[in-house]
Amino acid sequence: MMYCENRMKLGMLMFLALGMLLFFSCRNDDDEIIPSVITKVTPSDSVPGPVKGFFLLNEGNMGSNKATLDYFNYASGGYHKNIFAERNPGVVKELGDVGNDIQIYGNKLYAVINCSHLIEVMDVNTAKEITKITVTNCRYIVFHEGFAYVSSYAGPVQIDPNARLGEVVKIDTATLKVVGSCTVGYQPEEMVIVGNKLYVANSGGYRVPNYDNTVSVIDLETFKETKKITVAINLHRMRVDQNGLIYVTSRGDYYNVHSNTYVINAKNDLVEGALNFPASELYLCGDSLYSYSTEYSKITSKWTVNYTIYDTKAKRIVSRNFIKDGTEKSIVTPYALAVNPETGEIFVGDAGDYVTPGRLYCFGSDGKKKWDVQTGDIPAHIVFTTRPLQELK
């Protein structure tokens, strides 16, 4: 991801040129497509039920043009690494530069490609491209009543104390055309929808150290910002539970102000308080809010990692480490996080050193490892699908 994650190591810069070389060499002079790699990780038909598998979007570090798409098939037990190229041999540059979000709506799969300034729209049944939609410096995507809403930094990819306000772009999912935009705060990130209101976490990350500290509220009928809710600096993740409570994370300033998780009540748009646990990522499954956090201490010169579960019904932390078998010691840089709503399986992506292939770990609901597999570079975003991916003919 971009600098605002503040988790890339300085050594990454030395690999950017190499990354570009790898990109240009990913196809030879005969335009040969590198086939996906299939690894058997579980028995066939290991988990019956509506969820047939999931897509995993690997970010690829910024400037390398190495975003890739993986797929896991529950029926076969096979993990398919890098499926986009072989299913879209005519797409130049493949997925593009920095995969920042992936979601399913209807029969379409949407991948937000941040630094390539586009939304890659695919058929969810085949992962074949339908079209590309241009959105400048796009970040995250949500859906409501036939429309997609995309947060956008709306300017160049660079730190700038005078960076402009961001916006939310509205897309008609029938025509796949941009039909409107709404100005919000600085460098908007994740969003949630409650009723007819869209909530947007504003980070202000480009304007460091003058971070934004607000959540924008948009009326979806008028598609206008109606208010801003002051929460904390450098906001990022957002989730909403069945009671209309919105969980939003603050990344702090990475030095003196620590990350924290806050609660907004959508009934009155007031901040109810802080939950007093840091979070780099959130995933809500039922009444359980899963998170991991990575924070650096100037005092100890070490990174601290936590794997937390917060019970949204009981309103308390029920676990400070949902990994129960010691596998967390093998995870270098936690990145992706997802929970299968049927099985309770927990998936954690490990970005490792950010410039070489990562790994995906699958844990049972008991927190014990079931399997792990190599992914693309920086495994980051997972979306479950109820439709099995069709085999190539």
PDB file of all heavy atoms in Angstrom, residues 125-151:
ATOM      1  N   ASN A 125     -17.755 -15.208 -12.054  1.00  0.00           N
ATOM      2  CA  ASN A 125     -17.758 -16.628 -12.373  1.00  0.00           C
ATOM      3  C   ASN A 125     -16.490 -17.086 -13.089  1.00  0.00           C
ATOM      4  O   ASN A 125     -16.133 -18.259 -13.037  1.00  0.00           O
ATOM      5  CB  ASN A 125     -18.964 -16.977 -13.245  1.00  0.00           C
ATOM      6  CG  ASN A 125     -20.283 -16.638 -12.578  1.00  0.00           C
ATOM      7  OD1 ASN A 125     -20.659 -17.233 -11.583  1.00  0.00           O
ATOM      8  ND2 ASN A 125     -20.985 -15.663 -13.123  1.00  0.00           N
ATOM      9  N   THR A 126     -15.835 -16.150 -13.783  1.00  0.00           N
ATOM     10  CA  THR A 126     -14.687 -16.516 -14.616  1.00  0.00           C
ATOM     11  C   THR A 126     -13.424 -15.718 -14.326  1.00  0.00           C
ATOM     12  O   THR A 126     -12.345 -16.094 -14.771  1.00  0.00           O
ATOM     13  CB  THR A 126     -15.033 -16.311 -16.104  1.00  0.00           C
ATOM     14  OG1 THR A 126     -15.287 -14.909 -16.339  1.00  0.00           O
ATOM     15  CG2 THR A 126     -16.254 -17.118 -16.504  1.00  0.00           C
ATOM     16  N   ALA A 127     -13.549 -14.595 -13.614  1.00  0.00           N
ATOM     17  CA  ALA A 127     -12.453 -13.649 -13.370  1.00  0.00           C
ATOM     18  C   ALA A 127     -11.941 -13.039 -14.669  1.00  0.00           C
ATOM     19  O   ALA A 127     -10.799 -12.566 -14.734  1.00  0.00           O
ATOM     20  CB  ALA A 127     -11.310 -14.315 -12.605  1.00  0.00           C
ATOM     21  N   LYS A 128     -12.798 -13.006 -15.690  1.00  0.00           N
ATOM     22  CA  LYS A 128     -12.421 -12.364 -16.944  1.00  0.00           C
ATOM     23  C   LYS A 128     -12.875 -10.909 -16.930  1.00  0.00           C
ATOM     24  O   LYS A 128     -13.952 -10.580 -16.428  1.00  0.00           O
ATOM     25  CB  LYS A 128     -13.038 -13.105 -18.129  1.00  0.00           C
ATOM     26  CG  LYS A 128     -12.433 -14.486 -18.344  1.00  0.00           C
ATOM     27  CD  LYS A 128     -12.999 -15.162 -19.590  1.00  0.00           C
ATOM     28  CE  LYS A 128     -12.335 -16.514 -19.816  1.00  0.00           C
ATOM     29  NZ  LYS A 128     -12.855 -17.193 -21.033  1.00  0.00           N
ATOM     30  N   GLU A 129     -12.023 -10.052 -17.512  1.00  0.00           N
ATOM     31  CA  GLU A 129     -12.299  -8.617 -17.489  1.00  0.00           C
ATOM     32  C   GLU A 129     -13.560  -8.261 -18.252  1.00  0.00           C
ATOM     33  O   GLU A 129     -13.808  -8.747 -19.343  1.00  0.00           O
ATOM     34  CB  GLU A 129     -11.118  -7.851 -18.086  1.00  0.00           C
ATOM     35  CG  GLU A 129     -11.311  -6.344 -18.075  1.00  0.00           C
ATOM     36  CD  GLU A 129     -10.195  -5.589 -18.785  1.00  0.00           C
ATOM     37  OE1 GLU A 129     -10.278  -5.459 -20.021  1.00  0.00           O
ATOM     38  OE2 GLU A 129      -9.256  -5.151 -18.099  1.00  0.00           O
ATOM     39  N   ILE A 130     -14.358  -7.393 -17.626  1.00  0.00           N
ATOM     40  CA  ILE A 130     -15.511  -6.795 -18.280  1.00  0.00           C
ATOM     41  C   ILE A 130     -15.146  -5.401 -18.771  1.00  0.00           C
ATOM     42  O   ILE A 130     -15.364  -5.048 -19.918  1.00  0.00           O
ATOM     43  CB  ILE A 130     -16.718  -6.735 -17.324  1.00  0.00           C
ATOM     44  CG1 ILE A 130     -17.157  -8.150 -16.923  1.00  0.00           C
ATOM     45  CG2 ILE A 130     -17.884  -5.977 -17.962  1.00  0.00           C
ATOM     46  CD1 ILE A 130     -18.233  -8.181 -15.863  1.00  0.00           C
ATOM     47  N   THR A 131     -14.570  -4.601 -17.870  1.00  0.00           N
ATOM     48  CA  THR A 131     -14.133  -3.258 -18.246  1.00  0.00           C
ATOM     49  C   THR A 131     -13.238  -2.686 -17.158  1.00  0.00           C
ATOM     50  O   THR A 131     -13.100  -3.267 -16.073  1.00  0.00           O
ATOM     51  CB  THR A 131     -15.343  -2.323 -18.471  1.00  0.00           C
ATOM     52  OG1 THR A 131     -14.900  -1.109 -19.091  1.00  0.00           O
ATOM     53  CG2 THR A 131     -16.019  -1.977 -17.150  1.00  0.00           C
ATOM     54  N   LYS A 132     -12.653  -1.547 -17.446  1.00  0.00           N
ATOM     55  CA  LYS A 132     -11.915  -0.753 -16.464  1.00  0.00           C
ATOM     56  C   LYS A 132     -12.639   0.568 -16.279  1.00  0.00           C
ATOM     57  O   LYS A 132     -13.155   1.146 -17.241  1.00  0.00           O
ATOM     58  CB  LYS A 132     -10.477  -0.474 -16.923  1.00  0.00           C
ATOM     59  CG  LYS A 132      -9.544  -1.669 -16.928  1.00  0.00           C
ATOM     60  CD  LYS A 132      -8.158  -1.229 -17.398  1.00  0.00           C
ATOM     61  CE  LYS A 132      -7.117  -2.328 -17.231  1.00  0.00           C
ATOM     62  NZ  LYS A 132      -7.343  -3.457 -18.161  1.00  0.00           N
ATOM     63  N   ILE A 133     -12.688   1.058 -15.037  1.00  0.00           N
ATOM     64  CA  ILE A 133     -13.288   2.355 -14.736  1.00  0.00           C
ATOM     65  C   ILE A 133     -12.206   3.242 -14.130  1.00  0.00           C
ATOM     66  O   ILE A 133     -11.585   2.867 -13.134  1.00  0.00           O
ATOM     67  CB  ILE A 133     -14.464   2.218 -13.750  1.00  0.00           C
ATOM     68  CG1 ILE A 133     -15.503   1.218 -14.278  1.00  0.00           C
ATOM     69  CG2 ILE A 133     -15.117   3.582 -13.494  1.00  0.00           C
ATOM     70  CD1 ILE A 133     -16.557   0.847 -13.249  1.00  0.00           C
ATOM     71  N   THR A 134     -11.986   4.389 -14.705  1.00  0.00           N
ATOM     72  CA  THR A 134     -10.950   5.297 -14.219  1.00  0.00           C
ATOM     73  C   THR A 134     -11.432   6.083 -13.002  1.00  0.00           C
ATOM     74  O   THR A 134     -12.453   6.767 -13.061  1.00  0.00           O
ATOM     75  CB  THR A 134     -10.522   6.286 -15.318  1.00  0.00           C
ATOM     76  OG1 THR A 134      -9.998   5.560 -16.431  1.00  0.00           O
ATOM     77  CG2 THR A 134      -9.455   7.247 -14.799  1.00  0.00           C
ATOM     78  N   VAL A 135     -10.703   5.964 -11.890  1.00  0.00           N
ATOM     79  CA  VAL A 135     -10.950   6.754 -10.687  1.00  0.00           C
ATOM     80  C   VAL A 135      -9.584   7.146 -10.128  1.00  0.00           C
ATOM     81  O   VAL A 135      -8.792   6.278  -9.747  1.00  0.00           O
ATOM     82  CB  VAL A 135     -11.748   5.979  -9.624  1.00  0.00           C
ATOM     83  CG1 VAL A 135     -11.933   6.849  -8.367  1.00  0.00           C
ATOM     84  CG2 VAL A 135     -13.108   5.542 -10.164  1.00  0.00           C
ATOM     85  N   THR A 136      -9.307   8.417 -10.055  1.00  0.00           N
ATOM     86  CA  THR A 136      -7.998   8.897  -9.638  1.00  0.00           C
ATOM     87  C   THR A 136      -7.672   8.500  -8.203  1.00  0.00           C
ATOM     88  O   THR A 136      -8.462   8.743  -7.295  1.00  0.00           O
ATOM     89  CB  THR A 136      -7.922  10.430  -9.770  1.00  0.00           C
ATOM     90  OG1 THR A 136      -8.170  10.794 -11.124  1.00  0.00           O
ATOM     91  CG2 THR A 136      -6.540  10.941  -9.370  1.00  0.00           C
ATOM     92  N   ASN A 137      -6.510   7.867  -8.028  1.00  0.00           N
ATOM     93  CA  ASN A 137      -6.012   7.528  -6.685  1.00  0.00           C
ATOM     94  C   ASN A 137      -7.106   6.881  -5.838  1.00  0.00           C
ATOM     95  O   ASN A 137      -7.380   7.291  -4.707  1.00  0.00           O
ATOM     96  CB  ASN A 137      -5.469   8.785  -6.011  1.00  0.00           C
ATOM     97  CG  ASN A 137      -4.364   8.506  -5.015  1.00  0.00           C
ATOM     98  OD1 ASN A 137      -4.235   7.397  -4.497  1.00  0.00           O
ATOM     99  ND2 ASN A 137      -3.551   9.516  -4.718  1.00  0.00           N
ATOM    100  N   CYS A 138      -7.723   5.853  -6.396  1.00  0.00           N
ATOM    101  CA  CYS A 138      -8.850   5.186  -5.744  1.00  0.00           C
ATOM    102  C   CYS A 138      -8.377   4.315  -4.584  1.00  0.00           C
ATOM    103  O   CYS A 138      -7.269   3.778  -4.602  1.00  0.00           O
ATOM    104  CB  CYS A 138      -9.626   4.360  -6.756  1.00  0.00           C
ATOM    105  SG  CYS A 138      -8.603   3.409  -7.898  1.00  0.00           S
ATOM    106  N   ARG A 139      -9.236   4.138  -3.588  1.00  0.00           N
ATOM    107  CA  ARG A 139      -8.833   3.457  -2.362  1.00  0.00           C
ATOM    108  C   ARG A 139      -9.725   2.259  -2.009  1.00  0.00           C
ATOM    109  O   ARG A 139      -9.262   1.144  -1.965  1.00  0.00           O
ATOM    110  CB  ARG A 139      -8.828   4.460  -1.199  1.00  0.00           C
ATOM    111  CG  ARG A 139      -7.873   5.638  -1.376  1.00  0.00           C
ATOM    112  CD  ARG A 139      -6.442   5.193  -1.335  1.00  0.00           C
ATOM    113  NE  ARG A 139      -6.063   4.761   0.013  1.00  0.00           N
ATOM    114  CZ  ARG A 139      -4.923   4.133   0.284  1.00  0.00           C
ATOM    115  NH1 ARG A 139      -4.068   3.845  -0.666  1.00  0.00           N
ATOM    116  NH2 ARG A 139      -4.640   3.776   1.526  1.00  0.00           N
ATOM    117  N   TYR A 140     -11.019   2.497  -1.729  1.00  0.00           N
ATOM    118  CA  TYR A 140     -11.908   1.428  -1.287  1.00  0.00           C
ATOM    119  C   TYR A 140     -13.268   1.553  -1.969  1.00  0.00           C
ATOM    120  O   TYR A 140     -13.607   2.621  -2.502  1.00  0.00           O
ATOM    121  CB  TYR A 140     -12.068   1.445   0.235  1.00  0.00           C
ATOM    122  CG  TYR A 140     -10.763   1.180   0.952  1.00  0.00           C
ATOM    123  CD1 TYR A 140      -9.970   2.231   1.400  1.00  0.00           C
ATOM    124  CD2 TYR A 140     -10.312  -0.125   1.150  1.00  0.00           C
ATOM    125  CE1 TYR A 140      -8.756   1.990   2.029  1.00  0.00           C
ATOM    126  CE2 TYR A 140      -9.103  -0.372   1.779  1.00  0.00           C
ATOM    127  CZ  TYR A 140      -8.328   0.684   2.215  1.00  0.00           C
ATOM    128  OH  TYR A 140      -7.129   0.444   2.819  1.00  0.00           O
ATOM    129  N   ILE A 141     -14.049   0.451  -1.927  1.00  0.00           N
ATOM    130  CA  ILE A 141     -15.331   0.432  -2.631  1.00  0.00           C
ATOM    131  C   ILE A 141     -16.408  -0.239  -1.777  1.00  0.00           C
ATOM    132  O   ILE A 141     -16.146  -1.236  -1.099  1.00  0.00           O
ATOM    133  CB  ILE A 141     -15.174  -0.292  -3.995  1.00  0.00           C
ATOM    134  CG1 ILE A 141     -16.428  -0.177  -4.854  1.00  0.00           C
ATOM    135  CG2 ILE A 141     -14.780  -1.756  -3.792  1.00  0.00           C
ATOM    136  CD1 ILE A 141     -16.208  -0.617  -6.311  1.00  0.00           C
ATOM    137  N   VAL A 142     -17.613   0.351  -1.777  1.00  0.00           N
ATOM    138  CA  VAL A 142     -18.794  -0.229  -1.133  1.00  0.00           C
ATOM    139  C   VAL A 142     -19.966  -0.088  -2.098  1.00  0.00           C
ATOM    140  O   VAL A 142     -19.901   0.667  -3.074  1.00  0.00           O
ATOM    141  CB  VAL A 142     -19.125   0.443   0.221  1.00  0.00           C
ATOM    142  CG1 VAL A 142     -18.024   0.198   1.244  1.00  0.00           C
ATOM    143  CG2 VAL A 142     -19.361   1.950   0.034  1.00  0.00           C
ATOM    144  N   PHE A 143     -21.087  -0.793  -1.791  1.00  0.00           N
ATOM    145  CA  PHE A 143     -22.210  -0.839  -2.718  1.00  0.00           C
ATOM    146  C   PHE A 143     -23.530  -0.611  -1.989  1.00  0.00           C
ATOM    147  O   PHE A 143     -23.686  -0.978  -0.827  1.00  0.00           O
ATOM    148  CB  PHE A 143     -22.255  -2.203  -3.422  1.00  0.00           C
ATOM    149  CG  PHE A 143     -21.004  -2.530  -4.188  1.00  0.00           C
ATOM    150  CD1 PHE A 143     -19.954  -3.196  -3.557  1.00  0.00           C
ATOM    151  CD2 PHE A 143     -20.858  -2.163  -5.519  1.00  0.00           C
ATOM    152  CE1 PHE A 143     -18.787  -3.493  -4.257  1.00  0.00           C
ATOM    153  CE2 PHE A 143     -19.701  -2.457  -6.215  1.00  0.00           C
ATOM    154  CZ  PHE A 143     -18.665  -3.122  -5.581  1.00  0.00           C
ATOM    155  N   HIS A 144     -24.479  -0.028  -2.744  1.00  0.00           N
ATOM    156  CA  HIS A 144     -25.808   0.212  -2.166  1.00  0.00           C
ATOM    157  C   HIS A 144     -26.796   0.476  -3.286  1.00  0.00           C
ATOM    158  O   HIS A 144     -26.625   1.410  -4.081  1.00  0.00           O
ATOM    159  CB  HIS A 144     -25.763   1.416  -1.219  1.00  0.00           C
ATOM    160  CG  HIS A 144     -27.049   1.692  -0.499  1.00  0.00           C
ATOM    161  ND1 HIS A 144     -27.588   0.845   0.436  1.00  0.00           N
ATOM    162  CD2 HIS A 144     -27.925   2.739  -0.599  1.00  0.00           C
ATOM    163  CE1 HIS A 144     -28.706   1.348   0.918  1.00  0.00           C
ATOM    164  NE2 HIS A 144     -28.936   2.495   0.290  1.00  0.00           N
ATOM    165  N   GLU A 145     -27.825  -0.374  -3.358  1.00  0.00           N
ATOM    166  CA  GLU A 145     -28.960  -0.178  -4.263  1.00  0.00           C
ATOM    167  C   GLU A 145     -28.546   0.158  -5.695  1.00  0.00           C
ATOM    168  O   GLU A 145     -28.992   1.139  -6.283  1.00  0.00           O
ATOM    169  CB  GLU A 145     -29.897   0.891  -3.704  1.00  0.00           C
ATOM    170  CG  GLU A 145     -30.539   0.480  -2.381  1.00  0.00           C
ATOM    171  CD  GLU A 145     -31.553   1.481  -1.875  1.00  0.00           C
ATOM    172  OE1 GLU A 145     -31.643   2.586  -2.455  1.00  0.00           O
ATOM    173  OE2 GLU A 145     -32.258   1.165  -0.886  1.00  0.00           O
ATOM    174  N   GLY A 146     -27.666  -0.684  -6.236  1.00  0.00           N
ATOM    175  CA  GLY A 146     -27.296  -0.544  -7.639  1.00  0.00           C
ATOM    176  C   GLY A 146     -26.173   0.422  -7.939  1.00  0.00           C
ATOM    177  O   GLY A 146     -25.842   0.651  -9.119  1.00  0.00           O
ATOM    178  N   PHE A 147     -25.561   0.976  -6.898  1.00  0.00           N
ATOM    179  CA  PHE A 147     -24.449   1.905  -7.121  1.00  0.00           C
ATOM    180  C   PHE A 147     -23.218   1.472  -6.315  1.00  0.00           C
ATOM    181  O   PHE A 147     -23.335   0.891  -5.225  1.00  0.00           O
ATOM    182  CB  PHE A 147     -24.835   3.331  -6.723  1.00  0.00           C
ATOM    183  CG  PHE A 147     -25.901   3.925  -7.592  1.00  0.00           C
ATOM    184  CD1 PHE A 147     -27.230   3.898  -7.203  1.00  0.00           C
ATOM    185  CD2 PHE A 147     -25.576   4.496  -8.820  1.00  0.00           C
ATOM    186  CE1 PHE A 147     -28.226   4.422  -8.014  1.00  0.00           C
ATOM    187  CE2 PHE A 147     -26.563   5.034  -9.640  1.00  0.00           C
ATOM    188  CZ  PHE A 147     -27.889   4.991  -9.237  1.00  0.00           C
ATOM    189  N   ALA A 148     -22.069   1.757  -6.874  1.00  0.00           N
ATOM    190  CA  ALA A 148     -20.799   1.570  -6.182  1.00  0.00           C
ATOM    191  C   ALA A 148     -20.284   2.931  -5.747  1.00  0.00           C
ATOM    192  O   ALA A 148     -20.447   3.926  -6.478  1.00  0.00           O
ATOM    193  CB  ALA A 148     -19.780   0.893  -7.096  1.00  0.00           C
ATOM    194  N   TYR A 149     -19.685   2.971  -4.559  1.00  0.00           N
ATOM    195  CA  TYR A 149     -19.108   4.204  -4.040  1.00  0.00           C
ATOM    196  C   TYR A 149     -17.631   3.953  -3.755  1.00  0.00           C
ATOM    197  O   TYR A 149     -17.281   3.028  -3.024  1.00  0.00           O
ATOM    198  CB  TYR A 149     -19.852   4.646  -2.780  1.00  0.00           C
ATOM    199  CG  TYR A 149     -21.305   4.951  -3.044  1.00  0.00           C
ATOM    200  CD1 TYR A 149     -22.282   3.960  -2.896  1.00  0.00           C
ATOM    201  CD2 TYR A 149     -21.711   6.208  -3.468  1.00  0.00           C
ATOM    202  CE1 TYR A 149     -23.620   4.222  -3.160  1.00  0.00           C
ATOM    203  CE2 TYR A 149     -23.056   6.489  -3.737  1.00  0.00           C
ATOM    204  CZ  TYR A 149     -24.001   5.490  -3.580  1.00  0.00           C
ATOM    205  OH  TYR A 149     -25.323   5.766  -3.866  1.00  0.00           O
ATOM    206  N   VAL A 150     -16.783   4.777  -4.356  1.00  0.00           N
ATOM    207  CA  VAL A 150     -15.336   4.581  -4.289  1.00  0.00           C
ATOM    208  C   VAL A 150     -14.680   5.785  -3.631  1.00  0.00           C
ATOM    209  O   VAL A 150     -14.887   6.932  -4.065  1.00  0.00           O
ATOM    210  CB  VAL A 150     -14.734   4.385  -5.700  1.00  0.00           C
ATOM    211  CG1 VAL A 150     -13.230   4.157  -5.610  1.00  0.00           C
ATOM    212  CG2 VAL A 150     -15.415   3.224  -6.424  1.00  0.00           C
ATOM    213  N   SER A 151     -13.909   5.537  -2.568  1.00  0.00           N
ATOM    214  CA  SER A 151     -13.165   6.645  -1.961  1.00  0.00           C
ATOM    215  C   SER A 151     -11.950   6.946  -2.824  1.00  0.00           C
ATOM    216  O   SER A 151     -11.306   6.049  -3.378  1.00  0.00           O
ATOM    217  CB  SER A 151     -12.743   6.308  -0.530  1.00  0.00           C
ATOM    218  OG  SER A 151     -11.974   5.119  -0.482  1.00  0.00           O
TER     219      SER A 151
END
